[in-house]
Amino acid sequence: MKSIHRKFIKLSRRLIQDNNRRQRIRNALKGYEAKRGSTIERFQNWEAARQVAAQIKWEAINHLDEFLPQFVDNATKNGMKIHWADNSYQAQSIILDIAQKNQAKTVVKSKSMTTEEISLNSALKKKNYTVIETDLGELIVQLKNEPPYHLVFPSMHLSKEEIGEIFAMHFDVGLTHDPETLTQIAREQLRLKFLQADIGITGVNFAVAETGAICITENEGNARLVATCPRIHIAVMGIEKIIPRMQDLALFLPMLATSGSGQHLTAYNSLYFGPRKTHEQDGPEELHLIILDNQRTTLLARPHQRELLHCIRCGACLNICPVFQNAGGHAYAAPYQGPIGSVIMPYLRGIHSWKHLAKASTLCGACTEICPVKINLHHHLLDLREQAYRLKRNLLENSLFKLYTLYALNQSRFRPILRLFYYLQNLHKFIAGKPFDPFRRWCLRRELPRLRRHSFRSFWRRQRKNLPRLMLK
């Protein structure tokens, strides 16, 4: 528990001091903000669209007992092989069994946060499978041996110079910083891998109960190649990806693109109904769908937290969050970062180990305002803080607050204390920031605000005497 918390503190401190990286991320997010703003204007009524999206997700999650079996029945009729996984280990085991039975050696993957959640890459590598990420951002962080930095933009923290050095180190190419050349290098390196791979693994953006189809949305076309070139296609989805009807995609696809990257629509939006049919020439011979629980049903059983399952993983709350912008995605040490990660991870992996993320927020409410499905994120952050407090009460903190309450509620007691601190604050400069300074953590990066000699009450009493009678009426 402490190690994850300490890691967050250590990594966030390091990034806060890296001004170049922080400026690069801010510039990128400013561009996103401008693009998203202009795209939203194309919606006839963005707020109404958000409301409808929130209602559809509410309907899907609150009637999951109906929509999930309906989806499974239809997907099975379409020829998909459905597998249920209670947790990460079961999901890994199912995928490893499929790979073993098919004597697979090489696996290509498209970007999928659910596979990051179950640590699939490391499980496959332990069994000596070659795993290749085919999304450009994911490929870059895989070569650098790092986890994704952001839900949507995995390598946004790296400059084109750093990416050029990574490519020069891992591929037999010269050093270049030109983005188009770098993209072409990645394309050439990956093209043969699609054809050589035995298994392609994708995530799922939406699962349509009405038809039993899975929908994958992307910009590079790599997910389409991953799903169709290898003999076996394995898709991994959480139970919350269900939507009731095909027509709901007409709202969710442009909404996800607008909130995720500021686009009107992503370049590739594919629907998969099953494996290749006997009369078809293209497509996988088998399509396996892993439906993952991993504590989602625990969230579903909690009426006040169930709303968190509405998330469509657009990453908009990360883009607007001042803590994410300054602390960085790697500090969270989690597959889901930012405000949504701070509220989901404690439920997915245990509140005892992850409750510190509830404090990784300024509670400004910007995440709630930007969420396309209207999840009340800052309310859930406050709720988690309360739960964390109840789990482990700090006796010293409790005693200090009780003492403060005792004096603060009585003016005759509180006034002498304020006067005493007014004079003592002149001595604080001698210990400011030192190990025995009681305000050390505050004073490491900021100055302690100075107490005024006179309180506002006494100031107001003096002013009041000087005001004309008419102004006081």
Side-chain angles (χ1 to χ4, degrees), residues 57 205-206 252 255-256 259 310-314 372-373 375:
K57 286 301 290 186
N205 292 103
F206 302 101
F252 280 111
M255 180 164 271
L256 179 58
S259 298
H310 294 189
C311 178
I312 57 173
R313 306 286 191 266
C314 66
V373 289
I375 301 174

Side-chain angles (χ1 to χ4, degrees), residues 171-382:
F171 302 136
D172 187 20
V173 295
L175 182 63
T176 176
H177 302 152
D178 177 51
E180 286 188 18
T181 309
L182 290 169
T183 307
Q184 186 59 32
I185 291 170
R187 188 176 289 131
E188 289 169 2
Q189 294 289 330
L190 290 173
R191 187 61 63 173
L192 192 59
K193 304 295 182 188
F194 289 117
L195 301 174
Q196 292 174 338
D198 305 296
I199 291 179
I201 298 178
T202 68
V204 173
N205 292 103
F206 302 101
V208 186
E210 184 182 50
T211 60
I214 56 174
C215 177
I216 300 173
T217 175
E218 49 154 343
N219 274 315
E220 299 173 15
N222 63 302
R224 187 173 286 184
L225 292 169
V226 166
T228 53
C229 287
R231 288 185 294 112
I232 312 292
H233 173 199
I234 301 174
V236 186
M237 61 170 258
I239 58 172
E240 79 283 6
K241 295 296 176 73
I242 295 286
I243 56 170
R245 299 161 290 271
M246 185 69 86
Q247 67 184 34
D248 297 331
L249 288 174
L251 172 62
F252 280 111
L253 288 179
M255 180 164 271
L256 179 58
T258 301
S259 298
S261 55
Q263 294 172 279
H264 304 302
L265 204 61
T266 46
Y268 299 89
N269 297 284
S270 306
L271 280 164
Y272 300 94
F273 287 82
R276 182 176 65 196
K277 303 288 186 296
T278 50
H279 62 279
E280 293 174 337
Q281 293 185 344
D282 300 317
E285 295 170 10
E286 296 176 15
L287 199 167
H288 296 264
L289 179 63
I290 318 291
I291 301 178
L292 179 69
D293 179 352
N294 212 23
Q295 299 298 320
R296 286 165 172 80
T297 46
T298 308
L299 259 178
L300 191 65
R302 305 176 71 140
H304 297 297
Q305 284 81 31
R306 189 178 295 167
E307 183 190 41
L308 296 174
L309 295 172
H310 294 189
C311 178
I312 57 173
R313 306 286 191 266
C314 66
C317 60
L318 281 69
N319 299 339
I320 203 75
C321 177
V323 175
F324 175 84
Q325 288 178 12
N326 289 287
H330 288 159
Y332 291 81
Y336 307 111
Q337 312 89 358
I340 189 64
S342 296
V343 289
I344 278 186
M345 290 309 299
Y347 294 110
L348 295 186
R349 294 191 177 173
I351 194 168
H352 284 277
S353 303
W354 296 85
K355 63 180 185 295
H356 62 279
L357 290 181
K359 294 182 181 175
S361 167
T362 60
L363 296 179
C364 61
C367 49
T368 300
E369 287 182 15
I370 203 169
C371 177
V373 289
K374 304 191 81 165
I375 301 174
N376 198 343
L377 284 162
H378 69 290
H379 162 78
H380 290 290
L381 284 162
L382 263 176

